[in-house]
Amino acid sequence: MFCNRLNKTTLISAVKRTCGLPCAFALSNLSPLHFSTDTLSEVEQMVGNSDKHITRVLFCGPYFPASHQYTKEYLQKYPFIQVDDVPLAVVPDVISNYNICIVKNMRLTSNIISRATQMKLIMQFGVGLEGVDIDAATKYGIKVARIPGDATGNAASCAEMAIYLMLGLLRKQNEMQISIKQKRLGEPAGETLLGKTVFIMGFGNIGIDLAKRLRPFGVKIIATKRNWALHSEGSLQSNGFLIENGTNDNLVDEKGSHEDIYKFAGESDIVVCCLSMNKETVSLCSLLYFVYFGKISYWIALKWRCSVDLELAHLDKLPASTTNS
């Protein structure tokens, strides 16, 4: 899950703490949007001309350009950190030249990580690390980190995106655009969010912010979490809500554990998947999606790599939407 909104200094602080070097910046001349046969040689030349004491930060691929743009902007005063955004296809060939890797949507396999001989930190510009082979990174002594969503505004941003997707699906936004172009008034007839049952699958930071914003819409909120008692009292109190046993009954009408996921899905009009992606949750969500295919009215996945093939939803009965968060 990538940050839609981020405290920009958070990533910079992590870079500086990890390297333990005088922080710096050297602007790369490599454009992330223009890949040619000369790209690899450009990167190698850029690295080869750098001072040995420069800390090199690699951003994988051109997507989510604000990530490397913000980082470059905030590191301008530090002349000994070099920030490069490199095309995905080139990353395996140049990763050995870098000390820090911001993975974004790159899959860092064990083979690629084994080439990162100077790497100290693999980090996500957000929270989603499902594309990183963490066991391999641990084997090679590389730290893996993410940026929490509750302290940066990312959770709130993702929650707002979820509501936007809900309203768009309920009001049949795509069909409405077609009707407007064809000058047909009064169709399609959409639905209201009022009275719907929304199942928040995974009640973490995003789930909390989503529940807070859903309350005024008059919906029934049901949610599952592996262990409700593990919720940080501090994080909830910082949002201004009263605490009772680690959560707030005013936010959720019915709470359940992962064992209740299938039951809750069967009772829901809208399912919002906020689970962290791992082998267990991928299998669970895939099975859930196909078991209830056509029964759940709307499915929204707030994850970068969705655990199910949601493209099927556009070909059949179940409206669905994903967001790169």
Side-chain angles (χ1 to χ4, degrees), residues 49-259:
N49 292 337
S50 301
D51 186 89
K52 291 183 179 180
H53 298 293
I54 286 180
T55 299
R56 301 184 179 97
V57 182
L58 168 64
F59 278 78
C60 299
Y63 307 111
F64 301 92
S67 61
H68 53 261
Q69 290 169 0
Y70 286 154
T71 305
K72 288 179 178 181
E73 175 187 346
Y74 274 76
L75 286 174
Q76 289 185 42
K77 63 174 75 172
Y78 302 103
F80 298 103
I81 291 182
Q82 175 175 308
V83 179
D84 301 322
D85 47 284
V86 176
L88 294 173
V90 179
V91 169
D93 297 312
V94 301
I95 196 170
S96 61
N97 299 315
Y98 290 89
N99 309 111
I100 298 172
C101 177
I102 313 302
V103 63
K104 295 200 283 187
N105 64 313
M106 178 80 182
R107 281 197 176 275
L108 287 187
T109 63
S110 176
N111 178 50
I112 295 175
I113 292 174
S114 69
R115 306 183 190 187
T117 53
Q118 300 185 60
M119 191 68 60
K120 294 184 178 181
L121 173 67
I122 295 171
M123 191 169 185
Q124 184 56 280
F125 192 77
V127 299
L129 289 167
E130 60 271 12
V132 178
D133 189 332
I134 297 178
D135 291 336
T138 302
K139 174 184 175 182
Y140 291 104
I142 303 171
K143 296 179 180 180
V144 178
R146 62 183 186 177
I147 301 174
D150 57 338
T152 61
N154 188 48
S157 179
C158 290
E160 291 179 7
M161 176 64 76
I163 292 178
Y164 162 76
L165 294 173
M166 288 182 202
L167 294 174
L169 290 169
L170 286 165
R171 296 295 181 174
K172 299 180 173 58
Q173 181 178 354
N174 291 337
E175 295 92 327
M176 189 183 299
Q177 289 176 337
I178 295 172
S179 294
I180 291 173
K181 290 179 181 179
Q182 296 177 352
K183 299 181 179 180
R184 301 198 316 263
L185 300 179
E187 57 178 300
E191 301 178 57
T192 65
L193 192 49
L194 176 68
K196 296 292 190 294
T197 297
V198 179
F199 172 25
I200 301 176
M201 186 164 53
F203 200 71
N205 292 321
I206 295 175
I208 292 171
D209 277 3
L210 177 57
K212 285 162 36 179
R213 286 158 177 77
L214 280 174
R215 264 289 165 242
F217 284 94
V219 299
K220 178 181 179 181
I221 300 173
I222 58 180
T224 53
K225 183 176 176 61
R226 187 183 302 277
N227 189 337
W228 290 88
L230 289 179
H231 248 315
S232 166
E233 180 172 323
S235 66
L236 284 173
Q237 284 181 329
S238 67
N239 288 327
F241 286 87
L242 297 176
I243 306 298
E244 183 176 344
N245 297 325
T247 188
N248 188 326
D249 290 334
N250 292 329
L251 288 180
V252 181
D253 296 299
E254 185 176 355
K255 301 191 294 289
S257 64
H258 278 4
E259 287 72 25

Side-chain angles (χ1 to χ4, degrees), residues 165 271-273 299-303 306-307 310 321-325:
L165 294 173
V271 174
V272 184
C273 180
W299 175 288
I300 295 172
L302 292 176
K303 291 294 172 184
C306 188
S307 56
L310 292 179
S321 187
T322 61
T323 178
N324 299 344
S325 48

